[in-house]
Amino acid sequence: MNVHAIFPFDVKPQHEPDENEFGETPLPYAPVVEVEGGAGVVPQQYLEVRRSLSNVEAILSKITTPEGFLLFAAKENDLLYLVTGIIGHENYGKKKETAKLVYGRRWLIEPSAPTSEVVQTAILAIKKAREHELRERFVYYSEVTLTEVPKVGRATPFNCHLDLPLMVAECEGIIASPDDDWNIDDVLSRVRIDNMIATLEATAAITGGRALYDINIKSDGIKSTSFNDLDGARLTFLCQKGTRAEFLHEFFCALLKHSDESVDESTRFEGFARFSRSLCPEKIGNFSRRTRNITPDNDLFDDYFEDMSYRVDAAKAPPLNSGALGVKQRFTLDAARLSTAGLAGYLPKGYRGE
């Protein structure tokens, strides 16, 4: 029997600390750091975590989300997950004025995930749900009419619902060709971003054929349903090749960068925006050193911490797959093991008898 499967300690602290509302309990003899105000707390890496639906709900209830976004916690069999709800309007069809609730993908919450990881998973879920919406609301018209809003050849080239196997079959027909003869104003006149228009404010040529573009986004009179933060935004981005295709790709990347930064500022845990640009990286580094590089006061703590670390890390190892995927996995692992005189870590179950 593996020694880690047995709790090997006879000595227990006299006082067993209580579990907090987020399902976390300090390990016995865990080191304590002093925070602002003089209180002593145990950092999260020394907390034993027992995730449940109720304490995931407690964490998500402390998160402020962007307008139109909801967070849901759920459990299916033994798996905990969170999912985003997005309140918006239909992008296709005739019922575009009716509000519609749609859901993003499910994001697994591991049983040992500390509160910080749950919060960061929620932030990532919101970013990806918003990206999905942005990809569907970047509309490009193949032809421009004389009316203010183009009507012909409407398509969403960056959306996630295209038939990928079919695209592979027709890949030669959709590869970009060099096109030096294109007009940026013409391209921008064909674009709508959730009922907003894009106009060129400035451009600057850089050596090597590169160019900087400064684009203004503004409403064309119809209020955006999901991306009000883009209304009035100025996006500056660099193009390396100067082709129409590259310009459209970089333009969308600039929109996505703006969206992600907006989520970073507006998504807060108990009022705190973890990835806000207002935070000082140097001061965060000082905080990290002060709260992570800690010497325990009691030698018994090392045994408790080692036991917890083993159980958490070993539980994450998946089984080796079968079929073609398993062959690829085994080939890569074998190569790594041979090239580095061994391979540490928790290897997949079923690999080399593990």
Side-chain angles (χ1 to χ4, degrees), residues 24-286:
E24 298 160 331
T25 307
L27 286 171
Y29 309 109
V32 174
V33 297
E34 186 176 300
V35 296
E36 190 173 319
V41 298
V42 176
Q44 72 169 15
Q45 67 266 29
Y46 304 135
L47 300 178
E48 184 92 44
V49 180
R50 293 180 178 85
R51 280 283 152 254
S52 67
L53 180 57
S54 61
N55 59 52
V56 173
E57 290 173 343
I59 295 172
L60 299 189
S61 72
K62 305 290 186 180
I63 299 176
T64 303
T65 59
E67 181 181 359
F69 283 80
L70 298 167
L71 289 170
F72 296 88
K75 184 175 183 179
E76 185 171 305
N77 299 322
D78 293 329
L79 297 179
L80 289 165
Y81 65 91
L82 66 82
V83 66
T84 53
I86 307 103
I87 300 175
H89 288 78
E90 182 60 74
N91 196 36
Y92 302 98
K94 299 180 180 180
K95 296 183 178 180
K96 296 183 179 181
E97 300 303 318
T98 303
K100 182 179 181 180
L101 176 62
V102 295
Y103 300 99
R105 53 155 290 185
R106 295 179 177 185
W107 294 79
L108 178 67
I109 303 296
E110 294 184 344
S112 60
T115 295
S116 294
E117 290 186 12
V118 176
V119 174
Q120 289 172 144
T121 300
I123 294 172
L124 184 58
I126 293 170
K127 282 185 177 182
K128 288 304 174 183
R130 209 166 191 262
E131 175 182 339
H132 187 98
E133 291 296 297
L134 184 60
R135 288 180 177 278
E136 293 193 346
R137 297 183 188 280
F138 186 99
V139 179
Y140 189 80
Y141 295 88
S142 59
E143 297 181 32
V144 180
T145 68
L146 296 178
T147 60
E148 182 178 353
V149 180
K151 299 291 186 182
V152 182
R154 182 185 189 279
T156 54
F158 296 111
N159 84 76
C160 299
H161 298 292
L162 297 175
D163 188 326
L164 185 53
L166 187 56
M167 291 179 75
V168 172
E170 297 193 3
C171 63
E172 292 186 3
I174 55 179
I175 297 295
S177 57
D179 51 356
D180 297 327
D181 185 20
W182 63 281
N183 181 278
I184 187 171
D185 291 322
D186 173 67
V187 170
L188 291 177
S189 71
R190 301 169 184 268
V191 173
R192 291 293 182 275
I193 307 104
D194 200 27
N195 299 320
M196 290 176 283
I197 61 175
T199 55
L200 178 66
E201 293 295 321
T203 185
I206 306 177
T207 58
R210 297 174 298 165
L212 276 173
Y213 295 96
D214 189 29
I215 307 294
N216 182 50
I217 311 296
K218 63 180 180 179
S219 169
D220 65 352
I222 304 175
K223 184 179 179 181
S224 170
T225 57
S226 304
F227 297 95
N228 292 325
D229 55 290
L230 275 172
D231 194 356
R234 293 282 291 268
L235 307 177
T236 303
F237 55 91
L238 174 68
C239 285
Q240 300 279 354
K241 301 176 183 177
T243 65
R244 179 197 306 256
E246 184 202 22
F247 174 81
L248 286 168
H249 279 289
E250 293 296 339
F251 182 21
F252 181 80
C253 286
L255 290 166
L256 182 56
K257 180 176 182 290
H258 186 281
S259 174
D260 285 348
E261 290 178 0
S262 176
V263 173
D264 286 337
E265 299 296 337
S266 60
T267 307
R268 297 170 175 261
F269 174 67
E270 296 193 306
F272 178 74
R274 164 61 184 92
F275 298 107
S276 170
R277 296 299 180 95
S278 67
L279 302 180
C280 173
E282 289 87 354
K283 292 181 178 179
I284 294 175
N286 292 334

Side-chain angles (χ1 to χ4, degrees), residues 292-324:
R292 296 191 66 83
N293 298 333
I294 308 169
T295 302
D297 296 328
N298 193 305
D299 293 339
L300 288 172
F301 169 76
D302 289 338
D303 293 327
Y304 285 94
F305 185 65
E306 181 185 355
D307 178 74
M308 182 186 74
S309 299
Y310 173 84
R311 287 184 281 109
V312 169
D313 293 340
K316 293 182 179 180
L320 194 74
N321 288 113
S322 60

Side-chain angles (χ1 to χ4, degrees), residues 321-333:
N321 288 113
S322 60
L325 181 58
V327 171
K328 291 177 66 175
Q329 293 164 349
R330 190 178 296 278
F331 177 83
T332 302
L333 292 170

